[in-house]
Amino acid sequence: MGIVFRLAWRNLWRNRRRTWLTAGAIAFSTTLLFAWVPIQFGAYDMMINASLEVFPGHAQIQRPGYLAKPKIQNAITDAELLTKSLRDSNQYAGVSARAQSFVLLSSGSRSYGSQVVGVEPEYEGGTSTIPTLVKQGRYLSGIDAQEIVVGSALARNLKITVGDEVILLGSSKDGSVAAAILPVVGIFKSGSNDLDRFFSEIPLRTFQEIFAMGNTAHSITVTSRNIEQQPQLLAQLTRALVKRDDVVVLGWEELIPGMKEAIQVDKTGGFIFLSILIAIVVFSILNTFLVSVLERIREFGLMLALGSRPKQIAGLMMLESGLLTLLGLIIGVVIGSALVYWANAVGLVYPGMEELVEQFGLPSLSRIYPQIKLFNFLLGPVAIFICTNLAAWIPILRIRKLEPVAAMRTI
Amino acid sequence: MIASSLSLLGTLGWRNLWRHPRRTLIILFAITLGVWFMVISAAMMIGLIEQQLNDTIFNLTGHAQIHHPKFRDDPAVEHSMPLPNKKLLETLDGGEVTQWSARVRLPAIVMSERESRGVTLVGIDPTREIGLSFIGNPVVEGRSLESVEDNGIVIGQRMAEKLETRIGKRIVIMLQDKTSEVADRGFRIVGLFKAELEATETAYVFTGLSTAQTLVGMANEISEISLVTRSREKLDPLVARLRKATPQFESLSWQELEPLVVTAMAVYENFIFIWYLIIFVAMAFGLTNTMLMAVFERTREIGLLQALGMRPRFIVGQVMLESLILLFLGVLLGNLIGWLTTDIILRDGVDLSAFARGTEQFKIGSTMYFIWRLEDLLTIDVLVIVLGLLASLYPAVKAARYVPVEAIAGN
Amino acid sequence: MLRKPAATAIAFFFICSLNLSLPLPAQAIDAGAIIQAAMDQWRGTTSHSIMSMTIHRPDWQRTMTMKAWTAGDTESLVRVLAPKKDAGNGTLLLDNKMWAFSPKVNRVIKIPSSMMNQSWMGSDFSNKDVARSADIIKQYVHTLIDTEQSDEHKVFVIQSVPKEDAPVVWGKEVLRIREDYVLLEHTFYDQDMKPVKRIRTSTVGMMGERMVAIEQRMVKLATPEQYTEIKLISAEFDIEIPLEMFTLSNLRNPRL
């Protein structure tokens, strides 16, 4: 076996230029795929994360049916206990309870409909970035403070600023009128049109009082340390709540449904594109493999005459092409790793990215980091390895039909 | 002299190529595939950009708009403008503007027996919307509005579904009139329109301009003027003239109205160029390799030619010409097949309706169109040929460096 | 037309229950005239009543006691008396404009058109239902389609079809009015002529010297376990109501 190996390796270097060029083509495409897949998937993660971290969180616990038709009466009765127990288990990065309702917000001159959310100011920062996005004034101070923060576009429409009072008018859980006057302590700007135009937040206890909710809340939002752990998070929560049939656990696919399909479209497109690229590379180097067989037919004829079997020769050729592709792959992986490493250390941004995603209604984004998963790294190289070798084997298969004398007579 | 030598070299080159038909065909295929891929990618990108632009412009934005300075921030009835005065009319009817129209555009509530939703009521002059916006297109069910006096209503198909209503039924529109009172009336649904995005179908309802004016008490007032011209670019002089004609109102081009789309386009266009380079490099390895092979196997021949007096630069020229023919053929075929794909096979676009929710998230329609532009084709062609020639330089120079005696003797 | 519960609706019922001395020719009973006559009578009349409104849902129920004043068909003031946490809330109607007052915030808020579809006081009636003026009956074509017999009373069955541009979503409305002008039933049909919601009177009696509908229930037929019930506790008519009653300051500071 050792001799065949050495033979194959030496054969490769009989024509250095050709070998290097072919290996170069393979290295190029390998680098591309090796770096692209993790980075693209990282970009998806970033999009999902950016959409989730601003408000929806990584998972939410709600009553069944609430997501589709949010009725104020459809509240989790032991929300307080449940939230506390989840928090005490110390298994989650952030746990916060919320209650919501649609109200009329009224300043002196204007009235606008708004979705008001009762939050736990101390814990909301663990599940939403809104507390950090307060551009004027400050966030809510305590769980029963009489305060409100509103979105920037909403504040502009109501013609209010920090310090002004707004009147809140709506319907409570028991049907009675919910009304309150609250001073605006902060104005936030999330970059998401929906949030800035319609959302306002008040402390949870205040909400519960105004809307006659008692101890109940509509959702418990949970986040894990990073988005990649989200499937485990869902599993964990589902297990923790398996005995209860009065709540459901919702993951990002239900919380931001359009995103899943958007990513699907992009993935499919990307897959097709890269497949075509691999095809181009393969055809581009097909000649190399062809020639490396054809130009040695005399040699093969000699080997056959001396007693080698066609299978052995074919095997030698396959080993050669295998080594060649491996050479290219290794170079490609090395360069690709360097790229991924750099991307991971620095995070990627490209010019125009901010505006692009604002257009898609996503809140302001952070940098893209590669998604470090074995599958992502293997996908490209394995695909290239298989495709190039398959292409290489086409001429090799003809060797089996070689006839020694005729072969040796070839020019 | 040059001409005859060129034709000599050319003939040599051509014949050389076909001495090894399989080899030539393989690399030709690689080049064709590469060029085709570039053409398709560009066409897809342009299709995407065009679609977004068209949607934006056709979606009531137009090439330019005139309205009350506070209207964009707060589209309420008090921020109306009068019908165009003589000076403005002169500019609008001046010939540069191909179509313009006045509209009433106000926030309203639409109610059916079972549902109600917030919408924007748009009062239009139907004859003038043709060529100006999407509502100028024929409706998919029922009839379009016929005149400014038309008191029927045209709503989106998916809006009708959400309201649980149909053509022929009445819906009630309620909004704030000029005296801050509630104005409402019943409208019979006379037509249903279809748009790429569900968001468009549920955002707007249309009726005649006069009907809307009467409803809110806007006697001779409108909300906005929208116009289109012959060219989508170069709107600055026109906008400047509009500003002069009505200085107290805001005149804006679409780029100013939708700056995000402009940025998005720039990002796309930058990307595509990088993509071209990637595809080219994938091809280039094979091209160089193939030319090297071609040169290598003709060492003796080249040596002989040199011994017979052919100067090195002619050798270079001959190899380059060979490569040029190859590239030229590849480019030609790639363009041809590319054109076939975009204009014949994929003329109706690719149906992405399986990913409808995803494309909605990206704000693109569920059909992907391919549009080629001459400038893109030329860019690709020139790029491939120039870079391809550069890639062939190495083998060509190599060939010219052969020392005749060694060349003839060796091999 | 008769989509007004509470204030104006109750007022209308009172009026309908007036024993009109209008002669009703046996043959040509004009439906429009019945309603029009009732309206004419009512236009100059005032009322003051106390009622209870019960909102019933499958898993909870709430009852409020309210006081209402009406004058004509364009002015009305409703104030909640009980329970304690709702007491003091009020709604003022002037022409088509509606204001709400909440003692918790001590402010008067004008209800914008975008909120007109929200529920009134949490009941099955919307703000729009309550705010509709009687002028609306001109927007219908009324036809007498039947005459029934119920107990010892003759009952007119009137069908009201909205005119083309009427700001009414319904396909038709069917009313059952007793000969003494008590409304027994009012059904709202969608434009496919399927019934969607219904107000039905379960008890009729004398109050404030008039025959009135004492107990009524409003139900959405698709969800019969959800309804709002109005029970009249006391009423008086044709009383003197000071002009200041229907003002914003009175809404805020109940002196009257």
Side-chain angles (χ1 to χ4, degrees):
Chain A
M1 196 50 204
I3 254 200
V4 185
F5 202 84
R6 291 216 312 267
L7 204 57
W9 182 255
R10 280 208 215 140
N11 280 336
L12 273 184
W13 298 108
R14 271 155 67 173
N15 192 329
R16 306 179 79 216
R17 240 183 311 270
R18 195 163 73 204
T19 299
W20 276 123
L21 274 172
T22 313
I26 296 174
F28 175 73
S29 43
T30 306
T31 309
L32 208 63
L33 263 69
F34 187 84
W36 184 83
V37 175
I39 290 178
Q40 180 63 53
F41 282 26
Y44 295 147
D45 281 348
M46 191 267 287
M47 274 166 46
I48 297 173
N49 210 25
S51 304
L52 291 180
E53 69 177 8
V54 70
F55 187 74
H58 293 160
Q60 282 193 21
I61 301 169
Q62 298 177 359
R63 295 263 313 192
Y66 183 77
L67 188 68
K69 263 196 164 216
K71 289 211 170 115
I72 191 170
Q73 290 89 2
N74 206 2
I76 305 173
T77 25
D78 61 339
E80 193 156 316
L81 282 168
L82 188 54
T83 312
K84 190 162 189 312
S85 81
L86 286 171
R87 211 173 276 145
D88 289 342
S89 76
N90 252 326
Q91 296 182 310
Y92 313 105
V95 180
S96 70
R98 296 182 185 145
Q100 298 188 23
S101 183
F102 190 74
V103 298
L104 182 68
L105 279 188
S106 207
S107 66
S109 43
R110 296 285 170 124
S111 301
Y112 266 87
S114 165
Q115 182 79 358
V116 69
V117 188
V119 298
E120 299 177 286
E122 194 185 335
Y123 299 108
E124 182 72 7
T127 54
S128 153
T129 53
I130 290 184
T132 58
L133 297 169
V134 175
K135 297 288 191 297
Q136 289 175 49
R138 58 168 175 81
Y139 194 60
L140 308 169
S141 56
I143 196 163
D144 50 9
Q146 299 290 311
E147 308 171 329
I148 187 170
V149 294
V150 298
S152 54
L154 183 54
R156 198 177 52 225
N157 284 339
L158 285 169
K159 301 203 199 299
I160 53 173
T161 179
V162 175
D164 292 340
E165 276 184 341
V166 286
I167 304 165
L168 194 143
L169 195 64
S171 222
S172 344
K173 183 156 176 271
D174 61 0
S176 62
V177 170
I181 305 187
L182 296 169
V184 176
V185 296
I187 298 175
F188 66 83
K189 189 165 161 66
S190 69
S192 157
N193 212 19
D194 282 344
L195 292 177
D196 293 341
R197 245 178 218 277
F198 294 113
F199 266 56
S200 51
E201 296 190 355
I202 64 179
L204 182 59
R205 195 91 59 216
T206 313
F207 185 102
Q208 288 166 331
E209 247 170 46
I210 298 173
F211 291 89
M213 300 269 301
N215 261 355
T216 63
H218 294 116
S219 65
I220 300 175
T221 308
V222 183
T223 52
S224 52
R225 250 159 280 281
N226 60 52
I227 183 67
E228 293 163 32
Q229 296 174 347
Q230 211 247 12
Q232 293 97 313
L233 175 69
L234 274 182
Q236 225 174 356
L237 283 172
T238 315
R239 254 179 292 131
L241 298 166
V242 71
K243 296 203 211 89
R244 305 181 56 146
D245 57 355
D246 60 333
V247 291
V248 287
V249 179
L250 304 168
W252 71 266
E253 298 176 7
E254 288 137 310
L255 296 172
I256 38 174
M259 182 69 75
K260 176 165 185 207
E261 283 197 22
I263 292 180
Q264 208 46 41
V265 179
D266 203 70
K267 258 194 208 172
T268 313
F271 183 73
I272 295 176
F273 260 54
L274 288 177
S275 304
I276 299 181
L277 194 67
I278 296 181
I280 293 177
V281 169
V282 165
F283 271 97
S284 160
I285 59 180
L286 192 57
N287 271 334
T288 314
F289 294 121
L290 248 167
V291 167
S292 65
V293 168
L294 293 178
E295 73 182 3
R296 287 150 71 180
I297 295 214
R298 283 175 82 195
E299 184 184 321
F300 297 149
L302 192 64
M303 288 167 81
L304 286 172
L306 287 177
S308 311
R309 270 179 310 208
K311 251 205 290 191
Q312 287 173 314
I313 301 181
L316 175 67
M317 296 304 295
M318 287 186 191
L319 192 59
E320 267 178 50
S321 72
L323 284 174
L324 179 56
T325 32
L326 259 170
L327 177 67
L329 278 182
I330 291 174
I331 299 174
V333 166
V334 165
I335 303 178
S337 305
L339 278 176
V340 168
Y341 183 81
W342 168 77
N344 200 28
V346 158
L348 289 178
V349 213
Y350 53 86
M353 191 166 89
E354 283 283 330
E355 289 89 343
L356 208 60
V357 291
E358 212 184 306
Q359 227 216 339
F360 294 149
L362 293 173
S364 22
L365 297 181
S366 48
R367 316 180 85 94
I368 302 175
Y369 292 95
Q371 191 190 73
I372 313 277
K373 261 205 219 158
L374 197 60
F375 174 79
N376 296 349
F377 292 122
L378 286 182
L379 188 64
V382 167
I384 293 176
F385 188 79
I386 295 177
C387 291
T388 41
N389 276 296
L390 277 177
W393 291 358
I394 298 173
I396 291 174
L397 290 177
R398 295 182 72 217
I399 296 176
R400 313 213 300 164
K401 300 200 213 117
L402 275 185
E403 216 264 307
V405 175
M408 281 193 285
R409 286 231 192 96
T410 313
I411 304 172
Chain B
M1 171 60 179
I2 305 260
S4 63
S5 29
L6 267 181
S7 79
L8 172 69
L9 294 181
T11 322
L12 275 177
W14 176 260
R15 291 215 195 124
N16 278 335
L17 278 179
W18 295 110
R19 276 181 7 195
H20 293 267
R22 183 173 45 203
R23 184 173 77 202
T24 302
L25 282 173
I26 288 180
I27 192 65
L28 186 61
F29 187 79
I31 298 175
T32 308
L33 191 63
V35 172
W36 170 82
F37 196 30
M38 286 188 210
V39 169
I40 297 293
S41 309
M44 195 181 89
M45 198 105 293
I46 301 298
L48 217 81
I49 294 180
E50 271 302 311
Q51 209 189 57
Q52 280 208 294
L53 260 184
N54 258 347
D55 273 351
T56 309
I57 290 178
F58 231 41
N59 204 358
L60 305 186
T61 307
H63 287 163
Q65 271 187 15
I66 309 173
H67 38 233
H68 188 285
K70 296 224 184 101
F71 183 73
R72 277 213 295 167
D73 238 7
D74 188 11
V77 68
E78 51 257 29
H79 298 138
S80 308
M81 54 180 279
L83 288 166
N85 59 23
K86 200 145 144 241
K87 203 149 174 255
L88 185 56
L89 273 175
E90 265 167 28
T91 319
L92 288 172
D93 290 330
E96 209 180 326
V97 175
T98 48
Q99 182 70 286
W100 70 270
S101 184
R103 299 186 190 122
V104 163
R105 209 213 275 226
L106 296 167
I109 305 274
V110 63
M111 296 182 283
S112 67
E113 302 100 312
R114 292 182 172 82
E115 291 289 332
S116 71
R117 292 179 71 94
V119 285
T120 304
L121 174 71
V122 188
I124 58 171
D125 181 344
T127 54
R128 302 185 79 106
E129 293 287 341
I130 302 175
L132 177 61
S133 73
F134 71 92
I135 199 64
N137 286 347
V139 292
V140 290
E141 251 185 85
R143 64 163 180 85
S144 304
L145 295 172
E146 281 156 7
S147 74
V148 291
E149 313 279 340
D150 201 324
N151 58 10
I153 200 166
V154 171
I155 67 177
Q157 218 174 23
R158 282 176 269 199
M159 174 64 121
E161 281 168 34
K162 289 204 187 276
L163 290 174
E164 298 182 37
T165 185
R166 300 190 304 269
I167 284 216
K169 287 212 192 176
R170 178 179 51 240
I171 49 178
V172 174
I173 296 280
M174 185 163 66
L175 67 176
Q176 203 120 10
D177 72 7
K178 257 204 117 90
T179 61
S180 276
E181 307 239 336
V182 173
D184 58 359
R185 61 164 274 178
F187 286 83
R188 196 136 313 254
I189 302 174
V190 294
L192 298 181
F193 70 83
K194 190 157 162 57
E196 278 290 347
L197 296 176
E198 180 179 307
T200 315
E201 287 184 22
T202 54
Y204 302 107
V205 297
F206 297 90
T207 186
L209 181 64
S210 306
T211 315
Q213 284 172 321
T214 318
L215 182 56
V216 289
M218 283 165 73
N220 273 321
E221 294 184 314
I222 53 177
S223 303
E224 66 185 14
I225 294 180
S226 175
L227 58 95
V228 286
T229 66
R230 257 178 275 279
S231 151
R232 203 167 57 196
E233 324 295 324
K234 306 199 205 66
L235 290 169
D236 291 339
L238 176 62
V239 173
R241 259 182 294 138
L242 289 172
R243 287 198 184 124
K244 248 182 85 178
T246 46
Q248 69 274 51
F249 295 113
E250 211 175 45
S251 306
L252 298 170
S253 67
W254 65 266
Q255 290 101 330
E256 291 160 302
L257 289 163
E258 301 276 348
L260 294 179
V261 185
V262 181
T263 329
M265 277 168 52
V267 174
Y268 287 152
E269 302 221 342
N270 286 336
F271 261 149
I272 195 71
F273 197 75
I274 298 178
W275 186 239
Y276 289 161
L277 290 176
I278 292 178
I279 300 176
F280 179 78
V281 172
M283 279 180 351
F285 284 102
L287 179 64
T288 311
N289 231 351
T290 305
M291 294 314 294
L292 267 178
M293 277 185 239
V295 160
F296 191 63
E297 75 188 4
R298 282 184 269 141
T299 316
R300 284 176 89 193
E301 190 182 306
I302 296 174
L304 191 65
L305 283 172
Q306 283 188 322
L308 288 176
M310 194 186 253
R311 267 179 309 161
R313 65 165 177 272
F314 280 81
I315 308 281
V316 170
Q318 197 258 305
V319 174
M320 297 292 274
L321 260 170
E322 219 171 293
S323 166
L324 181 65
I325 295 170
L326 201 57
L327 288 166
F328 197 74
L329 272 177
V331 157
L332 199 67
L333 279 172
N335 280 356
L336 194 67
I337 302 179
W339 170 80
L340 259 169
T341 320
T342 60
D343 277 14
I344 311 262
I345 303 173
L346 293 177
R347 149 176 290 171
D348 299 322
V350 171
D351 183 20
L352 293 174
S353 53
F355 298 110
R357 276 197 303 185
T359 53
E360 180 94 21
Q361 175 93 358
F362 282 139
K363 301 218 175 89
I364 59 181
S366 56
T367 317
M368 187 161 70
Y369 291 102
F370 293 79
I371 300 175
W372 62 270
R373 296 188 305 185
L374 197 61
E375 56 193 273
D376 295 322
L377 288 187
L378 286 177
T379 314
I380 295 170
D381 296 345
V382 168
L383 190 78
V384 168
I385 291 183
V386 167
L387 291 184
L389 285 176
L390 275 174
S392 319
L393 205 58
Y394 173 58
V397 166
K398 192 110 190 59
R401 289 248 191 86
Y402 284 151
V403 176
V405 173
E406 288 174 12
I408 301 173
N411 204 38
Chain C
M1 168 171 63
L2 294 168
R3 272 177 277 107
K4 318 172 278 310
T8 32
I10 307 296
F12 181 73
F13 304 146
F14 304 153
I15 307 323
C16 278
S17 66
L18 289 174
N19 280 323
L20 298 177
S21 46
L22 268 185
L24 288 170
Q27 313 95 305
I29 297 175
D30 182 352
I34 298 176
I35 301 177
Q36 188 62 56
M39 296 262 87
D40 284 343
Q41 280 287 72
W42 170 41
R43 213 155 266 147
T45 304
T46 62
S47 81
H48 170 219
S49 58
I50 303 191
M51 69 196 97
S52 83
M53 179 162 83
T54 304
I55 303 168
H56 180 93
R57 296 282 179 265
D59 44 358
W60 56 268
Q61 178 164 300
R62 208 161 76 83
T63 306
M64 290 196 290
T65 316
M66 309 190 283
K67 209 196 281 216
W69 289 267
T70 68
D73 61 353
T74 55
E75 292 164 310
S76 78
L77 177 66
V78 179
R79 212 182 285 285
V80 180
L81 301 170
K84 207 128 151 260
K85 67 168 154 142
D86 296 313
N89 279 304
T91 313
L92 172 68
L93 200 61
L94 274 182
D95 291 326
N96 283 12
K97 296 187 271 207
M98 181 182 264
W99 284 266
F101 172 72
S102 165
K104 274 185 235 174
V105 298
N106 205 25
R107 297 280 162 89
V108 167
I109 301 173
K110 178 140 183 283
I111 309 284
S113 54
S114 50
M115 297 287 284
M116 287 307 268
N117 248 4
Q118 304 294 318
S119 113
W120 182 79
M121 300 269 192
S123 72
D124 291 304
F125 301 109
S126 70
N127 290 320
K128 193 173 193 304
D129 291 338
V130 178
R132 240 41 219 101
S133 82
D135 228 15
I136 195 83
I137 63 166
K138 292 202 208 106
Q139 307 250 24
Y140 291 75
V141 172
H142 308 281
T143 332
L144 181 70
I145 54 173
D146 201 4
T147 328
E148 296 170 346
Q149 201 66 27
S150 156
D151 300 330
E152 305 96 38
H153 296 275
K154 195 151 61 164
V155 177
F156 300 115
V157 183
I158 298 177
Q159 175 182 280
S160 304
V161 177
K163 294 189 185 152
E164 183 58 25
D165 306 335
V168 173
V169 292
W170 308 114
K172 73 175 179 194
E173 296 171 39
V174 171
L175 297 92
R176 288 194 153 75
I177 304 183
R178 247 169 45 165
E179 61 193 348
D180 54 355
Y181 298 102
V182 176
L183 177 78
L184 294 181
E185 192 180 84
H186 187 165
T187 309
F188 301 83
Y189 291 77
D190 69 13
Q191 293 176 49
D192 289 325
M193 300 309 162
K194 286 206 260 295
V196 177
K197 61 182 191 181
R198 168 176 299 150
I199 302 176
R200 182 175 277 162
T201 305
S202 46
T203 315
V204 181
M206 279 290 255
M207 215 173 262
E209 291 155 37
R210 310 254 182 261
M211 258 324 230
V212 294
I214 296 191
E215 253 184 70
Q216 300 194 304
R217 184 186 286 200
M218 153 76 112
V219 167
K220 283 211 179 69
L221 294 166
T223 49
E225 344 71 64
Q226 297 180 3
Y227 57 81
T228 300
E229 212 160 59
I230 300 194
K231 216 183 288 203
L232 204 55
I233 298 173
S234 77
E236 30 176 21
F237 302 93
D238 296 338
I239 47 172
E240 280 279 323
I241 300 185
L243 286 163
E244 303 81 55
M245 171 68 70
F246 304 106
T247 60
L248 288 173
S249 48
N250 188 36
L251 173 65
R252 174 198 276 269
N253 280 327
R255 264 170 278 128
L256 305 161

